[in-house]
Amino acid sequence: MASRDPLEEEFREFVAARSGALLRTAYLLAGDWATAEDLLQTALTKTYLAWKRLGGIEAIEPYARRVLVNTSTSWWRRRWHGERPTEVLPERAGLDEIEQQLDRDALWRHLQALPARQRAVLVLRFYEDMSEAQTAALLEISPGTVKSQTSRALHTLRKRLGSEAALGLPAEPA
């Protein structure tokens, strides 16, 4: 059996180690698992094509996340966002967790309605738990823009959710 290229082996190790986390981020950006898988596949393909010039392994994941965000934004601009037919209706949540599920669904619907950059900032800041500086660096925007986009997005969510604002959104600054 022929020996494999060491760069290809490094890429395989990266995919094995980080694809789960990248898929979850892709899901939050895209809104459904099928699109998230396509988005991740595209991001990993682009990452593989750039693998040699990316250098050290610490530069790979930020690059892959940036490709996810850019590709998601690009796809969002091109795609029709109407109804999506489905063959199987989702099962209902259990009675003991119905309120939590309804709150998550309401929050998710409102999150999907945000502009792509605001949604990306919220996903990176609160789901990926990145700092303002890390988010700014990843999105190639200023920390002030991260703050303003976060503030606008949270304000919009609070306004849309009204009395449901107790869904775990960060408190407004005093």
Side-chain angles (χ1 to χ4, degrees), residues 92-102:
R92 296 203 174 257
L95 293 175
D96 57 334
E97 296 178 5
I98 192 74
E99 287 302 318
Q100 266 186 319
Q101 184 66 39
L102 291 174

